[in-house]
Amino acid sequence: MSRRDGVLLVLLGAIWGAIYPLTAVVLRDLPVSVVVIARTGLAAIVLTPLALRSGALKAVRGRWRAVLVAALVQVAIPLALLTGAQQYVSAGLAAILVATQPVWAAVLSATFNNAVRVRQMTGVLIGLSGVIVLFLGDIDIGSSSGWAAVALVAAAVFIAAGALWVERTLSDVPALGIATAAMAISTVVIAPFAAVVTISPPPPSTLGLLLILSVVSTAGALVLFYTLIRRIGAVRANLAGYLDPGFAIGYSIIFLGDRATPTALIGLFFILAGSYIGAMSR
């Protein structure tokens, strides 16, 4: 990996990590459905010209059923769960719980492929131990934060399932085409829920942060992610996912005044270690 690729990898982790504190701030003035549809809609607007120019959308034709499933499972449902849950838990904790995605990918892959590897299951158990640490230490299971934590874990499961679905059914379709179509479809699906919500005009600062969340941390991150896949391969590009919880915690401490508890840091260590072991054994 060249120095430039390393810089781009860290940059991607930093951009992804910003999603959680940005979401926490914009939720103070906007409802969940509006935040979600802004992310998917603005991302679709940004990505569509790129996809048309590259011809990536041509491969989507005739594959709409598979793309629809991908859009629901990997974008619409997890985004709704993640955004809704962030009303009740800190940005850092949300990032840590969503970081379990590689663990669930390993579980689902082993389940459907009927092939359980010792190293893979070791990673799964280590990652799940990190989740248990969080639930026992920092999460009140019987409160709204407990249900929010469950929703965040569910979002990670959906993201993992969506990735496996894309890998199995759309591996021959350019990633940019899938992402653009998925964002557009998700926008259409979420639109009715956003349409019935009455909101007051948010302050300009909130709109600016929402624009950054949608264009930079959603659409821009996707473009950068696919660029890295082309330059260094999918396995190395996915290493950015191990960086974003650390960035999210750092942003939350600096800009939101949150604090990282010892339990959260211990849970993060186990989740990232388990995710890495489980992902590398695939």
Side-chain angles (χ1 to χ4, degrees):
M1 189 187 304
S2 68
R3 180 177 298 180
R4 180 184 179 187
D5 293 332
V7 171
L8 291 177
L9 191 69
V10 174
L11 177 61
L12 179 58
I15 293 174
W16 273 346
I19 287 174
Y20 302 94
L22 284 172
T23 300
V25 174
V26 298
L27 282 174
R28 297 171 183 172
D29 298 306
L30 293 170
V32 171
S33 58
V34 172
V35 174
V36 175
I37 198 170
R39 286 189 64 181
T40 58
L42 290 174
I45 292 172
V46 171
L47 293 174
T48 297
L50 299 174
L52 290 173
R53 184 179 304 172
S54 66
L57 286 177
K58 294 180 180 178
V60 176
R61 297 173 183 173
R63 312 290 291 277
W64 289 109
R65 183 175 298 178
V67 174
L68 175 62
V69 173
L72 294 175
V73 175
Q74 197 172 30
V75 179
I77 295 175
L79 271 185
L81 290 172
L82 191 157
T83 307
Q86 277 206 245
Q87 298 175 103
Y88 308 104
V89 299
S90 68
L93 184 57
I96 293 172
L97 289 171
V98 176
T100 60
Q101 180 265 325
V103 173
W104 304 117
V107 171
L108 294 171
S109 178
T111 300
F112 289 107
N113 293 329
N114 296 318
V116 180
R117 302 176 183 176
V118 174
R119 185 180 178 187
Q120 189 176 52
M121 291 312 300
T122 300
V124 168
L125 293 175
I126 293 173
L128 291 180
S129 68
V131 176
I132 293 172
V133 167
L134 290 175
F135 271 86
L136 292 178
D138 285 0
I139 298 171
D140 184 357
I141 299 177
S143 68
S144 57
S145 65
W147 287 109
V150 172
L152 288 164
V153 173
V157 175
F158 274 106
I159 294 170
L164 293 175
W165 172 262
V166 169
E167 184 178 58
R168 176 170 294 190
T169 64
L170 296 167
S171 60
D172 58 327
V173 178
L176 181 58
I178 299 172
T180 303
M183 288 295 173
I185 292 172
S186 297
T187 301
V188 173
V189 171
I190 298 165
F193 299 96
V196 298
V197 175
T198 302
I199 62 172
S200 301
S205 59
T206 298
L207 292 177
L209 292 176
L210 182 61
L211 189 64
I212 294 173
L213 175 64
S214 305
V215 176
V216 179
S217 293
T218 303
L222 277 174
V223 175
L224 180 55
F225 182 50
Y226 297 141
T227 300
L228 278 169
I229 289 177
R230 186 173 64 252
R231 291 177 61 89
I232 62 176
V235 173
R236 288 183 175 179
N238 272 291
L239 291 175
Y242 303 120
L243 301 176
D244 69 77
F247 278 106
I249 292 172
Y251 294 146
S252 299
I253 293 173
I254 296 172
F255 298 109
L256 302 181
D258 292 344
R259 65 184 184 90
T261 65
T263 303
L265 296 178
I266 293 171
L268 174 62
F269 172 78
F270 280 109
I271 288 171
L272 295 187
S275 296
Y276 179 81
I277 294 172
M280 292 303 102
S281 64
R282 289 188 60 197

